[in-house]
Amino acid sequence: QQPVQSPQAVILREGEDAVINCSSSKALYSVHWYRQKHGEAPVFLMILLKGGEQKGHDKISASFNEKKQQSSLYLTASQLSYSGTYFCGTGYDRGSTLGRLYFGRGTQLTVWP
Amino acid sequence: DVKVTQSSRYLVKRTGEKVFLECVQDMDHENMFWYRQDPGLGLRLIYFSYDVKMKEKGDIPEGYSVSREKKERFSLILESASTNQTSMYLCASSFLEAGKGEAFFGQGTRLTVV
């Protein structure tokens, strides 16, 4: 049930855009996005729920396509501070999984000046 | 402002030793998790707990055990440490339901088994 993230790595110049995808083989209830900078703990970015709206803050937003069983994270006009590894965590069936998330392998994003 | 605290940032242990990794959270979360993070493999769940004295196996529980005697504390135990358990260990906590909000992570413990 581990989701598949793509691409594995992205290299950008400041100001460029990026999209990170997270796909599941099973129907999703929730998708969480986290960013981890080198040597630090993962930090929560946003959560998307089945039937919910697209989320976003600042220049980072995400969508949730229930039919395709996937979520996409959009980074617009990237900044140096966006560099890090991005993880999606997927939740299935609200009642049975007791809050457990399945994390993808991560997408390493590097932004150059 | 600290929310999830892991007892050590770095640990070096010898093969065969019994190792305890401690995690404390101050957010009254029901769920607590132990993950192992290795390059290219993402976050792999070892064990999680949704209540005191309750535990569930994750994807890679072999060689590990856990203890949750109090709601705020979740311990990971390596019964007999081996070199293939050298890794970064991350503790996290969250509310009971996956949709209720974020998981908070500790800073991690870099364990080296020699």
Side-chain angles (χ1 to χ4, degrees):
Chain A
Q1 290 172 316
Q2 183 182 41
V4 176
Q5 282 187 240
S6 63
Q8 288 185 340
V10 184
I11 299 175
L12 301 171
R13 290 278 187 187
E14 251 185 316
E16 292 182 335
D17 301 338
V19 180
I20 299 171
N21 298 306
C22 176
S23 297
S24 172
S25 58
K26 191 177 166 182
L28 292 165
Y29 169 70
S30 67
V31 179
H32 298 220
W33 285 97
Y34 292 81
R35 176 172 62 208
Q36 184 180 30
K37 292 183 180 287
H38 184 70
E40 298 180 9
V43 173
F44 175 77
L45 293 176
M46 65 188 76
I47 178 175
L48 298 100
L49 301 180
K50 180 180 175 180
E53 299 175 354
Q54 180 163 339
K55 296 271 190 167
H57 57 84
D58 198 13
K59 296 186 177 69
I60 299 176
S61 63
S63 63
F64 185 173
N65 188 321
E66 290 177 40
K67 198 171 179 181
K68 291 185 178 179
Q69 296 172 181
Q70 74 177 34
S71 175
S72 296
L73 185 72
Y74 305 94
L75 299 103
T76 306
S78 58
Q79 306 167 15
L80 295 177
S81 62
Y82 287 4
S83 292
T85 302
Y86 290 77
F87 292 99
C88 69
T90 50
Y92 305 96
D93 186 351
R94 177 182 176 180
S96 69
T97 56
L98 299 170
R100 182 201 162 150
L101 296 177
Y102 293 81
F103 283 96
R105 295 191 174 195
T107 296
Q108 189 167 343
L109 184 82
T110 305
V111 181
W112 293 99
Chain B
D1 191 42
V2 175
K3 300 179 186 301
V4 180
T5 305
Q6 293 183 229
S7 52
S8 306
R9 287 297 301 271
Y10 300 95
L11 271 181
V12 180
K13 295 292 181 180
R14 294 195 179 275
T15 302
E17 275 192 84
K18 190 168 186 176
V19 181
F20 293 86
L21 303 183
E22 307 285 344
C23 176
V24 177
Q25 53 98 0
D26 63 1
M27 293 163 287
D28 203 34
H29 283 160
E30 295 91 358
N31 289 338
M32 294 189 75
F33 306 87
W34 275 106
Y35 292 94
R36 174 175 169 161
Q37 185 173 27
D38 299 289
L41 297 181
L43 298 166
R44 294 183 293 167
L45 184 65
I46 304 171
Y47 268 98
F48 71 104
S49 167
Y50 54 90
D51 200 353
V52 174
K53 297 192 186 296
M54 305 304 291
K55 61 184 179 184
E56 294 282 340
K57 290 181 181 179
D59 299 319
I60 51 167
E62 296 79 18
Y64 304 94
S65 62
V66 290
S67 172
R68 193 166 180 199
E69 296 296 320
K70 293 184 178 181
K71 188 175 185 180
E72 67 271 18
R73 188 180 296 270
F74 193 36
S75 303
L76 179 70
I77 304 152
L78 286 68
E79 297 291 341
S80 177
S82 64
T83 54
N84 62 12
Q85 293 178 309
T86 291
S87 187
M88 171 67 84
Y89 291 87
L90 287 166
C91 174
S93 70
S94 74
F95 288 114
L96 192 61
E97 291 183 14
K100 270 199 170 178
E102 63 186 284
F104 288 85
F105 285 84
Q107 286 295 100
T109 296
R110 172 76 64 185
L111 174 67
T112 302
V113 183
V114 298

